Amino acid sequence: MTPAKAPSAYRHIFSLVLPIVIQNLLSAAVSSADVVMLNYVGQSSISAVSLASQYASVLFMLYYGLGTGAAILCAQYYGKGDLQAIHVVEGIALRFSLLAALLFSGAALLIPEQMMLVFTNDSELIAIGTSYLRFMSVGYLCWGVSEVYLAILRSAGRVVVSTVLNVLAFSLNILVNAVFIFGLFGAPKMGAAGVAIATSFSRLTQLIGCFLVSSVSKKIRLDLRYLFVRNKVLFSDFLRVSLPAVGNDVSWGLAFSMYSVIIGHLETNAVAANSFVVVVRNFATVLCFGIANAGGILPGNIIGENKPEKARSTARDLMKLTVAAGVIGGLVVLASMPFVMKYASLSAQAMHYLKYMLLINSWYVMGTAVNTTLIAGVFRAGGDSRFGFVCDTIDMWCYAVPLGFFAAFVLKLPVMWVYFLLCTDEFVKWPWVIRHYRSGKWLNNITRDNLF
């Protein structure tokens, strides 16, 4: 790219990144509000919600994988100008997301105690988490539809619309959180269950907003009739591209949940400390994930226009930005430490864990930034979702998870040594990820002509 074009390229990137960063900031604010408000209810409520919400994390990875898989195709077909193909892909993704939503909602409604037993054997945490999961069942269902539609909107460059709907949902979540956690305005005081009520209500509102946006949209519609549209070629392409993306995100999400299983069976103080760390890390990585999201949209649109060299140049720009974002994220973690240590109402042991977990995360965010932008952004935009699936599955399930269990339950190392070892996962895969990026094998035009 010539120097004269660079400022324009960066403006285009930031026009996508900025709304996503705002959206991610509000998402982090919701998580922060949950922890801060539950901080006044008790440490057990914080720990129980932290563990129970691991199911939402896994479900998010599934929805995100489906949405990303659909967006891989939709971004390129949008660049190509084929809206009919986008509608078919949307219907395919919705079939899978609704199936997952029904399974998780049913489990949360019917067997929440068994779901909590996976993470802890503490009876108090199980009781609190059970109530939380039952109320979350509605939210899981609504989320399955809205997440796919919003991902497709983003793939078509309608990032602002997606952000507005998420801002609405997140703002309502925080407001309703306060109402039901503390029993404001005559509402019942429900503690941890109030968090689930707020989340489900906000997801329902967001879904209604999606249908309203769709009713005035001329291009990207949320139409459940697309569920029944068939196209064998696109279905085959969706499976080929999306299944590795879904497998990647679910594999990674399940493995990351195993970290909570390991920590949860070591000590409840570590669980409580990690709840605060997750909030800080979410704020520290908002810019990183904004760039990663842009990485999944912009190169894909350009590839669909059949401009591979321009797509490669855009990927280079995104890499430069994500390294800078990783450094900024680490500084955010360090800057937050005095405030978090001052206001967290935890036991002395939990505060000790919190301090060192934050220090570890000050460098961990750099690994997350680079890998997320390349694996979940740039590579997928180029139609290459298989590499990330293989890389993350080997890294998490053959290295990080076994190492964590071995360190915790065989070597019986101290909690912080176990946590430190778990946080090496992102850096172990760097050599393979960066080599694949430099090879250019990820850049593929996967659109087809004469589909209909």
Side-chain angles (χ1 to χ4, degrees), residues 91-247:
I92 296 168
L94 283 173
R95 280 178 233 156
F96 286 104
S97 67
L98 280 173
L99 177 61
L102 288 169
L103 289 173
F104 272 76
S105 295
L109 192 62
L110 301 173
I111 54 168
E113 296 92 344
Q114 288 82 351
M115 292 172 75
M116 286 301 298
L117 279 169
V118 173
F119 293 105
T120 182
N121 50 15
D122 186 299
S123 58
E124 184 183 7
L125 298 188
I126 290 172
I128 297 171
T130 294
S131 176
Y132 172 90
L133 285 169
R134 281 204 174 99
F135 284 109
M136 277 297 295
S137 59
V138 176
Y140 292 158
L141 194 58
C142 297
W143 197 12
V145 178
S146 61
E147 188 64 29
V148 168
Y149 180 61
L150 293 178
I152 292 172
L153 279 180
R154 288 192 294 270
S155 75
R158 299 192 65 188
V159 179
V160 174
V161 175
S162 173
T163 299
V164 168
L165 288 173
N166 276 308
V167 167
L168 171 65
F170 297 149
S171 302
L172 278 174
N173 200 337
I174 294 173
L175 177 62
V176 181
N177 256 349
V179 171
F180 284 104
I181 290 175
F182 301 119
L184 304 179
F185 310 116
K189 190 175 182 179
M190 303 185 70
V195 175
I197 292 173
T199 302
S200 290
F201 178 77
S202 66
R203 292 295 177 192
L204 176 60
T205 305
Q206 183 184 55
L207 180 58
I208 293 170
C210 287
F211 279 110
L212 290 174
V213 167
S214 172
S215 68
V216 297
S217 175
K218 295 181 179 179
K219 293 183 177 180
I220 310 300
R221 304 288 302 274
L222 176 55
D223 192 332
L224 297 182
R225 288 176 296 182
Y226 296 155
L227 285 164
F228 307 103
V229 177
R230 299 287 189 268
N231 185 291
K232 289 183 179 180
V233 174
L234 279 175
F235 186 77
S236 175
D237 285 348
F238 182 86
L239 292 181
R240 179 173 54 84
V241 174
S242 295
L243 283 184
V246 173

Side-chain angles (χ1 to χ4, degrees), residues 16-148:
L16 293 173
V17 170
L18 186 58
I20 295 170
V21 167
I22 294 170
Q23 173 183 312
N24 291 346
L25 273 172
L26 280 164
S27 177
V30 171
S31 299
S32 177
D34 290 349
V35 175
V36 170
M37 293 179 192
L38 289 174
N39 189 43
Y40 293 97
V41 178
Q43 183 170 312
S44 293
S45 292
I46 294 174
S47 299
V49 170
S50 174
L51 294 176
S53 63
Q54 293 304 311
Y55 287 103
S57 298
V58 173
L59 195 54
F60 170 74
M61 289 300 168
L62 179 57
Y63 291 155
Y64 183 77
L66 286 169
T68 303
I72 292 170
L73 288 163
C74 291
Q76 292 201 14
Y77 276 112
Y78 189 79
K80 190 182 178 72
D82 190 340
L83 295 179
Q84 191 173 357
I86 292 174
H87 295 157
V88 175
V89 171
E90 180 185 336
I92 296 168
L94 283 173
R95 280 178 233 156
F96 286 104
S97 67
L98 280 173
L99 177 61
L102 288 169
L103 289 173
F104 272 76
S105 295
L109 192 62
L110 301 173
I111 54 168
E113 296 92 344
Q114 288 82 351
M115 292 172 75
M116 286 301 298
L117 279 169
V118 173
F119 293 105
T120 182
N121 50 15
D122 186 299
S123 58
E124 184 183 7
L125 298 188
I126 290 172
I128 297 171
T130 294
S131 176
Y132 172 90
L133 285 169
R134 281 204 174 99
F135 284 109
M136 277 297 295
S137 59
V138 176
Y140 292 158
L141 194 58
C142 297
W143 197 12
V145 178
S146 61
E147 188 64 29
V148 168

